[in-house]
Amino acid sequence: MHHAIEGDRREIDGLDARIIELLGQRARVSARIQRTRVSAGGPRTVLAREAEVLGRYQDGLGATGTPIAMNVLKLCRGVSPATDQALTP
């Protein structure tokens, strides 16, 4: 049983690494969108778009999807050049 747990833990560690990598990628893409929008005179964030993202997470994960989406949006909303570099793999 112990070996099965260790194997599952290694699998979780690999999944966590992939999630972290994907979050960094998402933050970088979000930063590009924000820069483009702001340079065109628009707002840094679009609340209607964020509502779509919240809905997608809630649809996929149920009630726990909303706080997860809020944290993802918070991470990506706060991207600055320093953060962008920190998220580069």
Side-chain angles (χ1 to χ4, degrees):
M1 182 168 84
H2 186 266
H3 293 294
I5 290 172
E6 288 304 314
D8 287 342
R9 286 180 176 163
R10 281 191 298 278
E11 185 175 355
I12 284 174
D13 292 346
L15 291 167
D16 285 343
R18 288 172 46 200
I19 290 167
I20 291 166
E21 180 182 336
L22 288 169
L23 286 169
Q25 182 180 352
R26 189 191 192 287
R28 289 186 295 278
V29 171
S30 180
R32 279 198 315 262
I33 292 168
Q34 289 175 36
R35 283 191 298 270
T36 301
R37 191 182 300 117
V38 169
S39 69
R44 199 166 79 101
T45 59
V46 175
L47 296 179
R49 172 66 180 155
E50 290 192 355
E52 290 175 20
V53 172
L54 287 169
R56 192 168 42 250
Y57 274 72
Q58 187 172 23
D59 290 347
L61 300 172
T64 59
T66 301
I68 292 169
M70 290 299 296
N71 281 301
V72 169
L73 291 170
K74 182 179 178 182
L75 170 73
C76 295
R77 237 187 259 128
V79 172
S80 67
T83 306
D84 192 33
Q85 288 177 350
L87 292 171
T88 302

Coordinates of all heavy atoms in Angstrom, one line a residue:
M1 N 0.8 -1.2 0.0 CA 0.0 0.0 0.0 C 0.9 1.3 0.0 O 0.6 2.2 -0.7 CB -0.9 0.0 1.2 CG -1.8 1.2 1.2 SD -3.2 1.1 2.4 CE -2.4 1.6 3.9
H2 N 1.9 1.2 0.8 CA 2.8 2.4 0.9 C 3.4 2.8 -0.5 O 3.5 4.0 -0.8 CB 3.9 2.1 1.9 CG 4.8 3.3 2.2 ND1 6.0 3.5 1.5 CD2 4.7 4.3 3.0 CE1 6.5 4.6 1.9 NE2 5.7 5.1 2.8
H3 N 3.8 1.8 -1.3 CA 4.3 2.0 -2.6 C 3.3 2.7 -3.5 O 3.6 3.6 -4.3 CB 4.9 0.8 -3.3 CG 6.0 0.2 -2.5 ND1 7.2 0.9 -2.5 CD2 6.2 -0.9 -1.8 CE1 8.1 0.1 -1.8 NE2 7.5 -1.0 -1.4
A4 N 2.0 2.3 -3.4 CA 1.0 2.8 -4.2 C 0.8 4.3 -3.8 O 0.6 5.2 -4.7 CB -0.3 2.1 -4.0
I5 N 0.8 4.6 -2.6 CA 0.7 6.0 -2.1 C 1.8 6.8 -2.6 O 1.6 8.0 -3.1 CB 0.6 6.1 -0.6 CG1 -0.8 5.5 -0.1 CG2 0.7 7.5 -0.1 CD1 -0.9 5.3 1.4
E6 N 3.0 6.3 -2.5 CA 4.2 7.1 -3.0 C 4.1 7.3 -4.5 O 4.4 8.4 -5.0 CB 5.5 6.4 -2.7 CG 5.8 6.4 -1.2 CD 5.9 7.8 -0.7 OE1 6.5 8.7 -1.3 OE2 5.4 8.0 0.4
G7 N 3.6 6.4 -5.3 CA 3.5 6.5 -6.7 C 2.4 7.6 -7.0 O 2.6 8.4 -7.9
D8 N 1.3 7.5 -6.3 CA 0.3 8.5 -6.4 C 0.8 9.9 -6.1 O 0.4 10.9 -6.7 CB -1.0 8.2 -5.6 CG -1.7 7.0 -6.2 OD1 -1.5 6.7 -7.4 OD2 -2.5 6.4 -5.5
R9 N 1.6 10.0 -5.0 CA 2.1 11.3 -4.6 C 3.0 11.9 -5.7 O 3.0 13.1 -6.0 CB 2.8 11.2 -3.3 CG 1.9 11.1 -2.1 CD 2.6 11.0 -0.8 NE 1.6 10.9 0.3 CZ 1.9 10.5 1.5 NH1 3.2 10.1 1.8 NH2 1.0 10.5 2.4
R10 N 3.8 11.0 -6.3 CA 4.7 11.5 -7.4 C 3.8 12.0 -8.6 O 4.2 13.0 -9.2 CB 5.6 10.4 -7.9 CG 6.8 10.2 -6.9 CD 7.9 9.3 -7.6 NE 7.4 7.9 -7.8 CZ 7.3 7.0 -6.9 NH1 7.7 7.2 -5.6 NH2 6.9 5.8 -7.2
E11 N 2.7 11.3 -8.8 CA 1.8 11.7 -9.9 C 1.2 13.1 -9.6 O 1.2 14.0 -10.4 CB 0.7 10.7 -10.1 CG -0.2 11.1 -11.3 CD -1.2 10.0 -11.6 OE1 -1.2 8.9 -10.9 OE2 -2.1 10.3 -12.5
I12 N 0.8 13.3 -8.3 CA 0.3 14.6 -7.9 C 1.4 15.7 -8.0 O 1.1 16.8 -8.5 CB -0.2 14.5 -6.4 CG1 -1.6 13.8 -6.4 CG2 -0.4 15.9 -5.8 CD1 -2.1 13.5 -5.1
D13 N 2.6 15.4 -7.6 CA 3.7 16.3 -7.8 C 3.9 16.7 -9.2 O 4.1 17.9 -9.5 CB 5.0 15.8 -7.2 CG 5.0 15.6 -5.7 OD1 4.1 16.1 -5.0 OD2 5.9 14.9 -5.2
G14 N 3.8 15.8 -10.1 CA 3.9 16.1 -11.6 C 2.8 16.9 -12.1 O 3.0 17.8 -12.8
L15 N 1.6 16.6 -11.6 CA 0.4 17.4 -12.0 C 0.5 18.8 -11.4 O 0.2 19.8 -12.1 CB -0.9 16.7 -11.4 CG -1.3 15.4 -12.1 CD1 -2.4 14.7 -11.3 CD2 -1.7 15.7 -13.6
D16 N 1.0 19.0 -10.2 CA 1.2 20.3 -9.6 C 2.2 21.1 -10.4 O 2.0 22.3 -10.7 CB 1.6 20.2 -8.2 CG 0.5 19.8 -7.2 OD1 -0.7 19.9 -7.6 OD2 0.8 19.4 -6.1
A17 N 3.3 20.5 -10.9 CA 4.3 21.1 -11.7 C 3.6 21.6 -13.0 O 3.9 22.7 -13.4 CB 5.4 20.2 -12.0
R18 N 2.8 20.8 -13.6 CA 2.1 21.2 -14.8 C 1.2 22.3 -14.6 O 1.1 23.2 -15.4 CB 1.4 20.0 -15.5 CG 2.4 19.0 -16.1 CD 1.8 17.7 -16.5 NE 0.6 17.8 -17.3 CZ -0.3 16.8 -17.5 NH1 -0.1 15.7 -16.9 NH2 -1.4 17.0 -18.2
I19 N 0.4 22.3 -13.5 CA -0.5 23.4 -13.2 C 0.2 24.7 -13.0 O -0.2 25.7 -13.5 CB -1.4 23.0 -11.9 CG1 -2.3 21.8 -12.3 CG2 -2.1 24.2 -11.4 CD1 -3.0 21.2 -11.0
I20 N 1.3 24.6 -12.3 CA 2.1 25.8 -12.0 C 2.6 26.4 -13.4 O 2.6 27.6 -13.6 CB 3.3 25.5 -11.0 CG1 2.7 25.3 -9.6 CG2 4.3 26.7 -11.0 CD1 3.6 24.7 -8.7
E21 N 3.1 25.5 -14.2 CA 3.6 25.9 -15.5 C 2.5 26.6 -16.3 O 2.7 27.6 -17.0 CB 4.2 24.7 -16.3 CG 4.7 25.1 -17.7 CD 5.2 23.8 -18.4 OE1 5.6 22.8 -17.8 OE2 5.2 23.9 -19.6
L22 N 1.3 25.9 -16.3 CA 0.2 26.5 -17.1 C -0.3 27.8 -16.5 O -0.7 28.7 -17.3 CB -1.0 25.5 -17.1 CG -0.8 24.3 -18.0 CD1 -1.9 23.2 -17.7 CD2 -0.7 24.7 -19.4
L23 N -0.3 28.0 -15.2 CA -0.7 29.3 -14.6 C 0.3 30.4 -15.0 O -0.1 31.5 -15.3 CB -0.7 29.1 -13.1 CG -2.0 28.4 -12.5 CD1 -1.8 28.1 -11.1 CD2 -3.2 29.2 -12.8
G24 N 1.6 30.0 -15.0 CA 2.6 31.0 -15.5 C 2.4 31.4 -16.9 O 2.4 32.6 -17.3
Q25 N 2.1 30.4 -17.8 CA 1.8 30.7 -19.2 C 0.5 31.5 -19.3 O 0.5 32.5 -20.0 CB 1.6 29.4 -19.9 CG 1.3 29.5 -21.4 CD 1.1 28.2 -22.1 OE1 1.3 27.1 -21.5 NE2 0.7 28.2 -23.3
R26 N -0.5 31.2 -18.5 CA -1.7 32.0 -18.6 C -1.5 33.5 -18.1 O -2.0 34.4 -18.7 CB -2.8 31.4 -17.6 CG -4.2 32.1 -17.8 CD -5.1 31.6 -16.7 NE -6.5 32.0 -17.0 CZ -7.0 33.2 -17.0 NH1 -6.2 34.2 -16.6 NH2 -8.2 33.5 -17.2
A27 N -0.7 33.6 -17.1 CA -0.3 35.0 -16.6 C 0.4 35.8 -17.7 O 0.1 37.0 -17.8 CB 0.5 34.9 -15.3
R28 N 1.3 35.1 -18.4 CA 2.0 35.8 -19.4 C 1.1 36.3 -20.6 O 1.2 37.4 -21.1 CB 3.2 35.0 -19.9 CG 4.3 34.9 -18.9 CD 5.6 34.2 -19.4 NE 5.3 32.8 -19.8 CZ 5.3 31.8 -18.9 NH1 5.6 32.0 -17.6 NH2 5.1 30.5 -19.3
V29 N 0.2 35.4 -21.0 CA -0.7 35.7 -22.1 C -1.6 36.8 -21.6 O -1.9 37.8 -22.3 CB -1.5 34.5 -22.5 CG1 -2.7 34.9 -23.4 CG2 -0.6 33.4 -23.1
S30 N -2.1 36.8 -20.4 CA -3.0 37.8 -19.8 C -2.2 39.2 -19.8 O -2.8 40.2 -20.1 CB -3.4 37.4 -18.4 OG -4.2 38.4 -17.8
A31 N -0.9 39.1 -19.4 CA -0.2 40.4 -19.4 C -0.1 41.0 -20.8 O -0.2 42.2 -21.0 CB 1.2 40.1 -18.9
R32 N 0.1 40.1 -21.8 CA 0.1 40.6 -23.2 C -1.2 41.3 -23.6 O -1.2 42.4 -24.2 CB 0.4 39.5 -24.2 CG 1.9 39.1 -24.3 CD 2.2 38.3 -25.6 NE 1.3 37.3 -25.9 CZ 1.4 36.0 -25.6 NH1 2.5 35.6 -24.9 NH2 0.5 35.1 -25.9
I33 N -2.3 40.6 -23.2 CA -3.6 41.2 -23.5 C -3.8 42.5 -22.8 O -4.2 43.5 -23.4 CB -4.7 40.2 -23.1 CG1 -4.7 39.0 -24.0 CG2 -6.1 40.9 -23.2 CD1 -5.5 37.8 -23.6
Q34 N -3.4 42.6 -21.6 CA -3.5 43.8 -20.8 C -2.7 44.9 -21.4 O -3.2 46.1 -21.6 CB -3.1 43.6 -19.3 CG -4.1 42.8 -18.5 CD -3.5 42.5 -17.2 OE1 -2.9 43.3 -16.5 NE2 -3.8 41.3 -16.7
R35 N -1.5 44.6 -21.8 CA -0.6 45.7 -22.4 C -1.2 46.2 -23.7 O -1.3 47.4 -24.0 CB 0.8 45.1 -22.7 CG 1.6 45.0 -21.4 CD 3.1 44.7 -21.8 NE 3.3 43.5 -22.4 CZ 3.5 42.3 -21.8 NH1 3.6 42.3 -20.5 NH2 3.7 41.2 -22.5
T36 N -1.7 45.3 -24.5 CA -2.4 45.6 -25.8 C -3.6 46.5 -25.6 O -3.8 47.5 -26.2 CB -2.7 44.4 -26.6 OG1 -1.6 43.6 -26.9 CG2 -3.4 44.8 -27.9
R37 N -4.4 46.1 -24.6 CA -5.7 46.8 -24.3 C -5.4 48.2 -23.8 O -5.9 49.2 -24.3 CB -6.5 46.0 -23.3 CG -7.9 46.6 -23.2 CD -8.8 45.9 -22.2 NE -8.9 44.5 -22.5 CZ -8.5 43.5 -21.7 NH1 -7.9 43.7 -20.5 NH2 -8.7 42.2 -22.0
V38 N -4.4 48.3 -22.9 CA -4.1 49.6 -22.3 C -3.4 50.5 -23.3 O -3.7 51.7 -23.4 CB -3.2 49.4 -21.0 CG1 -2.6 50.7 -20.6 CG2 -4.0 48.7 -19.9
S39 N -2.6 50.0 -24.2 CA -1.9 50.8 -25.2 C -2.9 51.3 -26.2 O -2.6 52.4 -26.8 CB -0.8 50.1 -25.8 OG -1.3 49.0 -26.7
A40 N -4.0 50.7 -26.3 CA -5.1 51.1 -27.2 C -6.1 52.1 -26.5 O -7.1 52.5 -27.1 CB -5.8 49.9 -27.8
G41 N -5.8 52.4 -25.2 CA -6.6 53.3 -24.5 C -7.8 52.6 -23.7 O -8.6 53.3 -23.2
G42 N -7.7 51.3 -23.7 CA -8.8 50.6 -23.0 C -8.4 50.3 -21.5 O -7.3 50.6 -21.1
P43 N -9.3 49.7 -20.8 CA -9.1 49.3 -19.4 C -8.1 48.1 -19.3 O -8.0 47.3 -20.3 CB -10.5 49.0 -18.9 CG -11.2 48.4 -20.1 CD -10.7 49.2 -21.3
R44 N -7.5 48.0 -18.2 CA -6.6 46.8 -18.0 C -7.4 45.5 -17.9 O -6.9 44.5 -18.3 CB -5.8 47.1 -16.7 CG -4.5 46.2 -16.6 CD -3.6 46.7 -15.5 NE -4.0 46.3 -14.2 CZ -3.5 45.3 -13.6 NH1 -2.5 44.7 -14.1 NH2 -3.9 45.0 -12.4
T45 N -8.6 45.6 -17.3 CA -9.4 44.4 -17.1 C -10.8 44.7 -17.7 O -11.2 45.8 -17.8 CB -9.6 44.0 -15.6 OG1 -10.1 45.0 -14.9 CG2 -8.2 43.6 -15.0
V46 N -11.4 43.6 -18.1 CA -12.8 43.7 -18.6 C -13.6 42.7 -17.8 O -13.5 41.5 -17.8 CB -12.9 43.3 -20.1 CG1 -14.3 43.2 -20.6 CG2 -12.0 44.2 -21.0
L47 N -14.5 43.3 -17.0 CA -15.3 42.6 -16.0 C -16.2 41.5 -16.7 O -16.4 40.4 -16.1 CB -16.1 43.5 -15.1 CG -15.2 44.4 -14.2 CD1 -16.1 45.3 -13.3 CD2 -14.3 43.6 -13.3
A48 N -16.7 41.8 -17.8 CA -17.6 40.9 -18.5 C -16.8 39.6 -18.9 O -17.3 38.5 -18.8 CB -18.2 41.5 -19.8
R49 N -15.6 39.8 -19.3 CA -14.7 38.7 -19.7 C -14.4 37.9 -18.4 O -14.4 36.7 -18.4 CB -13.4 39.2 -20.3 CG -12.4 38.2 -20.5 CD -12.8 37.1 -21.5 NE -11.7 36.1 -21.7 CZ -11.8 34.9 -22.0 NH1 -13.0 34.4 -22.3 NH2 -10.8 34.1 -22.1
E50 N -14.1 38.6 -17.3 CA -13.8 37.9 -16.1 C -15.0 37.1 -15.6 O -14.9 36.0 -15.1 CB -13.3 38.8 -15.0 CG -11.9 39.4 -15.3 CD -11.3 40.1 -14.1 OE1 -12.0 40.3 -13.1 OE2 -10.1 40.5 -14.2
A51 N -16.2 37.6 -15.8 CA -17.4 36.9 -15.5 C -17.5 35.6 -16.3 O -18.0 34.5 -15.8 CB -18.7 37.7 -15.6
E52 N -17.1 35.6 -17.5 CA -17.1 34.4 -18.4 C -16.2 33.4 -17.8 O -16.5 32.2 -17.8 CB -16.7 34.8 -19.8 CG -17.7 35.6 -20.6 CD -17.1 35.9 -22.0 OE1 -16.1 35.3 -22.4 OE2 -17.6 36.9 -22.6
V53 N -15.0 33.8 -17.4 CA -14.0 32.9 -16.8 C -14.6 32.3 -15.5 O -14.5 31.1 -15.3 CB -12.7 33.6 -16.6 CG1 -11.7 32.7 -15.8 CG2 -12.1 34.1 -17.9
L54 N -15.2 33.1 -14.7 CA -15.7 32.6 -13.4 C -16.8 31.5 -13.7 O -16.8 30.5 -13.1 CB -16.4 33.7 -12.6 CG -15.4 34.7 -12.0 CD1 -16.1 35.9 -11.4 CD2 -14.6 34.0 -10.8
G55 N -17.7 31.8 -14.7 CA -18.7 30.9 -15.1 C -18.1 29.6 -15.6 O -18.7 28.5 -15.2
R56 N -17.1 29.6 -16.4 CA -16.5 28.4 -16.9 C -15.9 27.5 -15.8 O -16.1 26.3 -15.8 CB -15.4 28.8 -17.9 CG -14.9 27.7 -18.8 CD -14.1 28.1 -20.0 NE -13.1 29.1 -19.7 CZ -13.2 30.3 -20.2 NH1 -14.2 30.7 -21.0 NH2 -12.3 31.2 -20.0
Y57 N -15.2 28.2 -14.8 CA -14.7 27.4 -13.7 C -15.8 26.8 -12.9 O -15.7 25.7 -12.4 CB -13.8 28.3 -12.9 CG -12.3 28.4 -13.4 CD1 -12.0 29.1 -14.5 CD2 -11.3 27.7 -12.7 CE1 -10.7 29.2 -15.0 CE2 -10.0 27.8 -13.1 CZ -9.7 28.5 -14.3 OH -8.4 28.6 -14.7
Q58 N -16.8 27.6 -12.6 CA -18.0 27.1 -11.8 C -18.7 25.9 -12.6 O -19.0 24.9 -11.9 CB -18.9 28.2 -11.5 CG -20.0 27.8 -10.5 CD -20.9 28.9 -10.1 OE1 -21.0 30.0 -10.7 NE2 -21.5 28.8 -8.9
D59 N -18.8 26.1 -13.9 CA -19.5 25.0 -14.6 C -18.6 23.7 -14.6 O -19.1 22.6 -14.4 CB -19.6 25.4 -16.1 CG -20.7 26.4 -16.3 OD1 -21.5 26.7 -15.4 OD2 -20.8 27.0 -17.4
G60 N -17.3 23.9 -14.6 CA -16.4 22.7 -14.6 C -16.1 22.1 -13.3 O -15.9 20.9 -13.2
L61 N -16.1 22.9 -12.2 CA -15.7 22.5 -10.9 C -16.8 22.6 -9.8 O -16.5 22.3 -8.7 CB -14.4 23.2 -10.5 CG -13.2 23.0 -11.4 CD1 -12.1 23.9 -11.0 CD2 -12.8 21.6 -11.4
G62 N -17.9 23.2 -10.2 CA -18.9 23.4 -9.2 C -18.6 24.6 -8.3 O -17.8 25.5 -8.7
A63 N -19.1 24.6 -7.1 CA -19.0 25.8 -6.2 C -17.5 26.1 -5.9 O -17.1 27.2 -5.7 CB -19.8 25.6 -4.9
T64 N -16.7 25.1 -5.9 CA -15.2 25.3 -5.6 C -14.5 26.0 -6.7 O -13.4 26.5 -6.5 CB -14.5 24.0 -5.2 OG1 -14.6 23.1 -6.3 CG2 -15.1 23.4 -3.9
G65 N -15.1 26.0 -7.9 CA -14.5 26.6 -9.1 C -14.4 28.1 -9.0 O -13.5 28.7 -9.5
T66 N -15.4 28.7 -8.3 CA -15.4 30.2 -8.2 C -14.2 30.7 -7.4 O -13.5 31.6 -8.0 CB -16.7 30.7 -7.5 OG1 -17.8 30.2 -8.3 CG2 -16.8 32.2 -7.4
P67 N -13.9 30.2 -6.2 CA -12.7 30.7 -5.6 C -11.4 30.4 -6.3 O -10.4 31.2 -6.3 CB -12.7 30.1 -4.2 CG -13.7 29.0 -4.2 CD -14.6 29.3 -5.4
I68 N -11.4 29.3 -7.0 CA -10.2 28.9 -7.8 C -10.0 30.0 -8.9 O -8.9 30.5 -9.1 CB -10.3 27.5 -8.3 CG1 -10.2 26.5 -7.2 CG2 -9.2 27.3 -9.4 CD1 -10.5 25.1 -7.5
A69 N -11.1 30.2 -9.6 CA -11.1 31.2 -10.7 C -10.7 32.6 -10.2 O -9.9 33.3 -10.8 CB -12.4 31.3 -11.4
M70 N -11.2 33.0 -9.0 CA -10.9 34.3 -8.5 C -9.4 34.4 -8.2 O -8.8 35.4 -8.5 CB -11.7 34.5 -7.2 CG -13.2 34.7 -7.4 SD -13.6 36.2 -8.4 CE -13.0 37.5 -7.4
N71 N -8.8 33.3 -7.7 CA -7.4 33.3 -7.5 C -6.6 33.4 -8.8 O -5.5 34.0 -8.9 CB -6.9 32.2 -6.6 CG -7.3 32.5 -5.1 OD1 -6.8 33.4 -4.6 ND2 -8.1 31.7 -4.5
V72 N -7.0 32.6 -9.8 CA -6.3 32.6 -11.1 C -6.4 34.1 -11.7 O -5.4 34.6 -12.1 CB -7.0 31.6 -12.0 CG1 -6.5 31.8 -13.5 CG2 -6.7 30.2 -11.6
L73 N -7.6 34.7 -11.6 CA -7.7 36.0 -12.1 C -6.9 37.0 -11.4 O -6.3 37.9 -11.9 CB -9.2 36.4 -12.1 CG -10.1 35.7 -13.1 CD1 -11.6 36.0 -12.8 CD2 -9.8 36.1 -14.5
K74 N -6.8 36.9 -10.0 CA -6.0 37.7 -9.2 C -4.5 37.6 -9.6 O -3.8 38.6 -9.8 CB -6.2 37.4 -7.7 CG -5.4 38.3 -6.8 CD -5.7 37.9 -5.4 CE -4.9 38.7 -4.4 NZ -5.1 38.3 -3.0
L75 N -4.1 36.4 -9.8 CA -2.7 36.2 -10.2 C -2.4 36.9 -11.5 O -1.4 37.5 -11.7 CB -2.4 34.7 -10.4 CG -1.1 34.3 -11.0 CD1 0.0 34.5 -10.1 CD2 -1.1 32.8 -11.4
C76 N -3.3 36.7 -12.5 CA -3.1 37.2 -13.8 C -3.4 38.7 -13.9 O -2.8 39.4 -14.7 CB -4.0 36.4 -14.8 SG -3.5 34.7 -14.9
R77 N -4.3 39.2 -13.1 CA -4.5 40.7 -13.1 C -3.3 41.5 -12.6 O -3.1 42.6 -13.0 CB -5.7 40.9 -12.1 CG -6.9 41.6 -12.7 CD -7.8 42.0 -11.6 NE -9.0 41.1 -11.6 CZ -9.4 40.4 -10.6 NH1 -8.9 40.6 -9.4 NH2 -10.4 39.6 -10.7
G78 N -2.6 40.9 -11.6 CA -1.5 41.6 -11.0 C -0.2 41.4 -11.7 O 0.8 41.7 -11.1
V79 N -0.2 40.9 -12.9 CA 1.1 40.7 -13.6 C 1.7 42.0 -13.9 O 1.1 42.9 -14.4 CB 0.9 39.9 -14.9 CG1 2.1 39.8 -15.7 CG2 0.4 38.5 -14.5
S80 N 3.0 42.1 -13.5 CA 3.8 43.3 -13.8 C 5.1 42.7 -14.5 O 5.3 41.5 -14.5 CB 4.2 44.0 -12.5 OG 5.1 43.2 -11.7
P81 N 5.9 43.6 -15.1 CA 7.1 43.0 -15.7 C 7.9 42.2 -14.8 O 8.5 41.1 -15.1 CB 7.9 44.3 -16.1 CG 6.8 45.3 -16.3 CD 5.8 45.0 -15.3
A82 N 8.0 42.5 -13.5 CA 8.8 41.7 -12.5 C 8.1 40.4 -12.3 O 8.8 39.4 -12.3 CB 9.0 42.5 -11.2
T83 N 6.8 40.4 -12.1 CA 6.1 39.1 -12.0 C 6.2 38.3 -13.2 O 6.3 37.1 -13.2 CB 4.6 39.4 -11.7 OG1 4.5 40.3 -10.5 CG2 3.9 38.2 -11.3
D84 N 6.1 38.9 -14.4 CA 6.2 38.2 -15.6 C 7.5 37.5 -15.7 O 7.5 36.3 -16.1 CB 6.0 39.2 -16.8 CG 5.8 38.6 -18.1 OD1 5.2 37.5 -18.2 OD2 6.2 39.1 -19.1
Q85 N 8.6 38.1 -15.3 CA 9.9 37.4 -15.4 C 9.9 36.3 -14.4 O 10.5 35.2 -14.6 CB 11.0 38.4 -15.1 CG 11.2 39.3 -16.2 CD 12.3 40.4 -15.9 OE1 12.7 40.5 -14.8 NE2 12.7 41.1 -16.9
A86 N 9.3 36.5 -13.2 CA 9.3 35.5 -12.1 C 8.5 34.3 -12.6 O 8.8 33.1 -12.1 CB 8.7 36.1 -10.8
L87 N 7.5 34.4 -13.4 CA 6.7 33.3 -13.9 C 7.3 32.6 -15.1 O 6.7 31.6 -15.6 CB 5.3 33.8 -14.2 CG 4.5 34.3 -13.0 CD1 3.2 35.0 -13.4 CD2 4.2 33.1 -12.1
T88 N 8.4 33.1 -15.6 CA 9.0 32.5 -16.8 C 9.7 31.2 -16.3 O 10.5 31.3 -15.4 CB 10.0 33.4 -17.5 OG1 9.3 34.6 -17.8 CG2 10.6 32.8 -18.7
P89 N 9.3 30.1 -17.0 CA 10.0 28.8 -16.6 C 11.4 28.8 -16.9 O 11.9 29.4 -17.8 CB 9.2 27.7 -17.3 CG 8.3 28.4 -18.3 CD 8.4 29.9 -18.0

